[in-house]
Amino acid sequence: MKNFSNSPLHNNQTPNHVRDRKNKKFGFLSAVPLRFSLRGYGFCMATLFLFCFGSLFYQLNGGPPKILLDIRQYLGESTYLDDHGPPAPRVLLFPSQVVYNRVGKCGSRTVVILLRLLAERHQFNLVSSDIHNKTRLTKHEQVDLMRNISNIPQPFLYTRHVHFLNFTRFRIEQPVYINIIRDPINRFLSNYFFRRFGDWRGEQNHLIRTPGMKDDERYLDINVCILENYPECSNPRLFYIIPYFCGQHPQCREPGVWALERAKQNVLENFLIVGILEELEDVLLLLERLLPHYFTDVLNIYKSPDYMKMGNMTGTVRKHTPTLEALQVLYHRMRYEYDFYNFIRKQFHLMKKKIGLKSVSRPTAHQASFLRELAVRTTEPLDEDEELETDLEDANIWFVQP
């Protein structure tokens, strides 16, 4: 067997031959990476330029370029919504979810007429529920209603006769609440006669609203109703305003301190404003200050002749004042309602003072003597040169003139 390692020829040729081949090999490899790195660098820069240009084009035109849509359609029929769900809702710079859980016979029809005119002028979505007699909801009804409200396109204002709904309890974004109340006895009287005789919008609308009411009940003297303790004129029927702010808890419908204090707490934590009907013009001014995208120019509309023609039709007919004895009994039964009313009135005046609003509302009638003895205030001290107002909605005040 030949040993090629000892061959003179092999020993002489191997070093030079191997050296030359190594030099050629490394020279080739050193040139290849340089050539590929330049090419790769150019490719990356071109890709980055196209990406930036495409992104800019996407943003300027509010959507992707047509070629990207064509490519996506070519690759598959799925859409962006299929893969990622609906886009996040548009975030507005002002409160865009407002709920007005209006209290019955507290000027709500007057305000709804204004809202219809304002919605047309300011282009917000007004949803006014036709459900009037279902203020207490089951848990499932609450969730369904809150979800339906949250799905209304923003900005929106939803209004319905319904007790306070706690959206955060069900992990739903809480809207801004607003409301208006009035003197509890005056509200009760307005409702008592409205159910029986309607308002100026139509002579027979009370027959449509309460078709099952017998004549004995329809023409029942209100003094008899109060003094003889008929169900309509006693608790829990008289405990009406507080549940709108207390909420859906069963205890909110029981007259007592618990419901009263919870209603006050909800007002402080969840309501942007709760006004009083006796100072409606000031309420409208505050709403314009706090929610300008909804209520700008509301006071001018309220004072316009066109609105006055519609607003004057909402006054209750045949309303008259009970005797002083009946009023005293009624006030005692509604003491929690008056506690809440005076709390709201104090908060409302405090808000006017903080904002620096100059009052434009005119004074209501003087108080009854028995209320003055009980130190119950329903009007602010006013300047002597201010005139009395007699043409507000439902202006037949129950207070006895001195």
Side-chain angles (χ1 to χ4, degrees):
M1 185 175 181
K2 293 184 180 181
N3 186 359
F4 291 96
S5 61
N6 296 324
S7 171
L9 181 62
H10 180 75
N11 292 336
N12 294 335
Q13 292 180 352
T14 299
N16 296 332
H17 179 70
V18 172
R19 190 180 299 111
D20 293 341
R21 284 198 300 178
K22 286 183 178 180
N23 290 338
K24 290 180 181 181
K25 180 179 179 181
F26 286 112
F28 173 75
L29 292 177
S30 62
V32 170
L34 180 62
R35 192 178 303 123
F36 270 100
S37 62
L38 291 176
R39 210 178 275 178
Y41 177 77
F43 177 78
C44 291
M45 292 301 296
T47 303
L48 180 62
F49 174 78
L50 290 175
F51 176 79
C52 294
F53 180 78
S55 300
L56 179 63
F57 189 82
Y58 179 92
Q59 297 179 42
L60 292 177
N61 291 274
K66 186 176 182 303
I67 186 172
L68 295 182
L69 295 176
D70 294 339
I71 293 173
R72 188 174 186 85
Q73 185 176 5
Y74 176 79
L75 295 176
E77 295 298 329
S78 64
T79 63
Y80 181 86
L81 294 180
D82 295 332
D83 298 337
H84 304 279
R90 182 165 55 105
V91 178
L92 302 176
L93 299 178
F94 56 92
S96 57
Q97 303 179 70
V98 181
V99 173
Y100 171 32
N101 63 322
R102 59 187 191 268
V103 182
K105 302 309 297 175
C106 289
S108 59
R109 285 177 295 149
T110 299
V111 177
V112 168
I113 294 174
L114 287 171
L115 287 172
R116 289 171 182 166
L117 299 174
L118 291 167
E120 184 177 353
R121 176 176 295 192
H122 300 312
Q123 298 300 306
F124 63 85
N125 294 304
L126 174 65
V127 180
S128 182
S129 175
D130 295 329
I131 302 174
H132 302 285
N133 299 318
K134 191 172 179 58
T135 58
R136 308 165 187 172
L137 309 177
T138 65
K139 182 177 179 180
H140 293 294
E141 289 173 337
Q142 292 178 52
V143 174
D144 289 342
L145 177 57
M146 287 186 286
R147 286 176 177 170
N148 290 336
I149 292 174
S150 299
N151 289 331
I152 300 174
Q154 301 181 22
F156 70 80
L157 191 150
Y158 178 84
T159 175
R160 172 180 167 173
H161 293 295
V162 65
H163 295 168
F164 173 75
L165 297 167
N166 189 350
F167 284 67
T168 56
R169 177 189 172 194
F170 300 96
R171 298 182 179 180
I172 302 175
E173 183 180 359
Q174 184 86 346
V176 170
Y177 272 92
I178 61 173
N179 216 323
I180 300 174
I181 66 172
R182 73 191 295 185
D183 177 89
I185 291 181
N186 202 20
R187 192 218 68 81
F188 165 75
L189 296 178
S190 181
N191 183 67
Y192 184 90
F193 292 105
F194 175 73
R195 291 183 65 248
R196 287 161 170 77
F197 309 113
D199 54 27
W200 296 107
R201 291 179 297 177
E203 295 181 357
Q204 303 298 322
N205 65 0
H206 59 288
L207 299 177
I208 299 174
R209 183 175 292 273
T210 54
M213 184 179 289
K214 298 179 180 180
D215 287 345
D216 291 343
E217 181 182 1
R218 190 176 303 277
Y219 296 99
L220 175 66
D221 184 84
I222 190 169
N223 296 293
V224 174
C225 181
I226 296 171
L227 297 177
E228 296 188 10
N229 204 24
Y230 278 67
E232 185 177 358
C233 300
S234 58
N235 284 313
R237 296 278 291 275
L238 294 178
F239 194 68
Y240 184 85
I241 297 176
I242 289 177
Y244 276 87
F245 301 88
C246 179
Q248 299 289 334
H249 194 283
Q251 201 169 345
C252 287
R253 301 188 288 272
E254 300 176 8
V257 176
W258 188 91
L260 171 64
E261 293 303 321
R262 181 160 181 171
K264 291 179 179 180
Q265 181 180 0
N266 282 334
V267 168
L268 296 175
E269 294 178 354
N270 298 290
F271 282 79
L272 180 66
I273 176 176
V274 180
I276 54 175
L277 185 63
E278 291 81 2
E279 300 177 33
L280 180 58
E281 292 188 8
D282 286 353
V283 176
L284 298 178
L285 280 178
L286 275 180
L287 285 170
E288 184 173 0
R289 292 276 190 91
L290 299 173
L291 297 170
H293 290 80
Y294 294 89
F295 290 96
T296 294
D297 249 3
V298 62
L299 195 57
N300 291 333
I301 296 175
Y302 175 70
K303 293 182 176 181
S304 66
D306 292 337
Y307 169 79
M308 295 302 295
K309 293 178 182 178
M310 297 182 288
N312 287 337
M313 302 301 291
T314 63
T316 302
V317 301
R318 297 197 186 185
K319 188 169 69 170
H320 60 270
T321 305
T323 63
L324 181 59
E325 180 186 5
L327 287 174
Q328 289 174 321
V329 171
L330 200 59
Y331 173 80
H332 178 72
R333 293 174 184 170
M334 303 178 76
R335 58 190 180 276
Y336 294 114
E337 295 276 277
Y338 268 99
D339 190 315
F340 183 74
Y341 173 77
N342 290 326
F343 167 79
I344 292 298
R345 189 171 172 275
K346 181 179 179 181
Q347 293 295 319
F348 178 69
H349 290 158
L350 181 62
M351 179 177 290
K352 287 199 299 182
K353 184 177 180 180
K354 287 182 177 180
I355 294 180
L357 180 68
K358 185 177 180 181
S359 178
V360 296
S361 296
R362 296 177 181 178
T364 54
H366 295 286
Q367 300 170 23
S369 58
F370 83 94
L371 282 183
R372 288 198 297 269
E373 294 171 3
L374 294 172
V376 177
R377 300 290 303 278
T378 57
T379 55
E380 275 291 281
L382 296 157
D383 297 334
E384 294 181 357
D385 57 346
E386 292 183 347
E387 301 176 358
L388 294 178
E389 179 177 10
T390 58
D391 57 349
L392 282 174
E393 180 199 13
D394 298 337
N396 297 322
I397 194 94
W398 62 271
F399 293 126
V400 179
Q401 299 292 332

